[in-house]
Amino acid sequence: MSSKRTSKPAGKATRSAISDVVAREYTIHLHKRIFGMQFKKRAPKAIKEIRKFAEKAMGTRDVRLDPQLNKKVWEQGIKGVPYRLRVRISRKRNDEEDAKEKLYSYVQAVNVKNPKGLQTVVVED
């Protein structure tokens, strides 16, 4: 019995990510992602988890973080990472000539009083 893998169905067109230049606001629950992590690794792990979240949400391997976002995470020190963080993730075209990826994601912190309970919102630029 041979196992053949079929590629995409003939009738369906693939979705082009090039036309998907979009910005959305998300609330990232950092506490559940760094729970149980030792204190001296919390803020670095939170940054990695934000990158991972943006990569999954936007489908781009190239994720760039705003310096203000980094400051927001590190604001209360290495072990005082905020429980939740409201971020705006923008998928943008990569204009560099020798770029590996056609798109990249840019993650920025959004100032809100309480990020708990907020829904994902598409932002019009």
Side-chain angles (χ1 to χ4, degrees):
M1 207 161 78
S2 66
S3 62
K4 284 188 176 180
R5 288 189 176 197
T6 58
S7 59
K8 299 168 196 101
K12 291 192 175 183
T14 57
R15 199 175 115 237
S16 173
I18 299 295
S19 61
D20 293 343
V21 176
V22 70
R24 294 190 198 109
E25 282 189 5
Y26 295 93
T27 300
I28 303 177
H29 190 180
L30 288 174
H31 191 244
K32 74 176 183 183
R33 289 172 167 85
I34 61 164
F35 177 77
M37 185 65 48
Q38 67 188 50
F39 284 152
K40 294 298 179 186
K41 294 185 178 179
R42 279 180 175 233
K45 176 74 172 178
I47 296 294
K48 287 175 194 152
E49 288 295 329
I50 292 169
R51 276 188 192 278
K52 195 166 106 179
F53 180 88
E55 189 177 317
K56 185 178 176 189
M58 289 295 177
T60 59
R61 300 276 302 143
D62 187 3
V63 176
R64 302 172 190 182
L65 302 182
D66 188 52
Q68 294 302 317
L69 172 72
N70 193 44
K71 282 191 173 136
K72 189 101 169 161
V73 171
W74 283 84
E75 204 170 37
Q76 298 165 1
I78 197 165
K79 59 185 181 179
V81 178
Y83 279 13
R84 285 181 177 80
L85 198 61
R86 188 74 175 171
V87 294
R88 176 177 292 135
I89 307 176
S90 308
R91 190 186 307 133
K92 299 181 177 181
R93 280 195 184 86
N94 206 345
D95 294 332
E96 299 168 16
E97 289 179 18
D98 56 340
K100 292 179 184 176
E101 305 288 326
K102 294 177 182 171
L103 298 168
Y104 69 93
S105 298
Y106 189 66
V107 187
Q108 299 169 290
V110 178
N111 287 327
V112 290
K113 187 167 183 155
N114 186 11
K116 189 171 182 175
L118 297 175
Q119 298 295 313
T120 298
V121 178
V122 177
V123 180
E124 299 298 324
D125 287 331

